[in-house]
Amino acid sequence: MSTTATQQLDEVKTTPWSGGRSPFEVEYGKMMMWFFLLSDAFTFSSLLISYGALRFSAPTWPAPSLVFQSFPGLIEHGAPLVFVGMMTFILIMSSVTMVLAVEAGHRNSKKEVVWWMIGTIIGGLMFLSCQALEWNHLHGEGFWWGHIPNPETLKEFFKGGIPLSQEQMTSQQFANLFFTITGFHGFHVFSGVIINIIITINVLLGTYQKRGSYLMVEKVGLYWHFVDLVWVFVFTFFYLV
């Protein structure tokens, strides 16, 4: 029964008014999700390209190993990239739990889907909490939209003798782009968490079990994996380069 229902759900319509065959015979909702992710990829690409253009055309730039050398709440200095490394690990593990949720959905295992989805939600919330701590720490250092640390503090984030005017200019560009891009990504993670909660509630209510397909879990999984993939590029641009 479930197999028949799944086949009906994924059936490619070929009637005269159905608009023709779907490319690669992909289910309509999944195809629309790919279109959305493609358009979103263009937005993130434009932001990261803008950052890269400013970063590599500038005579100097705040050193990531000096800006991101704290572990908020535990270590103030001397732990470069440790905190963001933990953030990245958490997000990657949430992607693993999402894969397991999709796999459990293919087996129509409702209980497993619920538990793996809850694990994904917890991972997303942990990542957002870590990002909030990092933002709060940088704000305490003096970085914010349209605001940079005082000249004495600012020198701590640069290597070598750099004219103050150049430090101030590039620091302002760094701050504006950092909070804009990581904030935009954080909004995507937050949206993904909300969507995952809604999907999990539907799983608990047996909505997809009645349909005979957990295709919605797979669709939201595509979005979550995209968010994780984007973070790899954000991590590379801001924290490594």
Side-chain angles (χ1 to χ4, degrees), residues 177 207 234 240:
L177 285 165
T207 303
V234 174
L240 296 182

Side-chain angles (χ1 to χ4, degrees), residues 51 61-62 67-68 138 143 169-179 238:
Y51 176 84
W61 200 260
V67 177
F68 306 107
L138 287 177
F143 288 104
M169 178 186 68
T170 56
S171 294
Q172 189 64 79
Q173 292 173 341
F174 165 79
N176 290 342
L177 285 165
F178 175 81
F179 289 109
F238 280 102

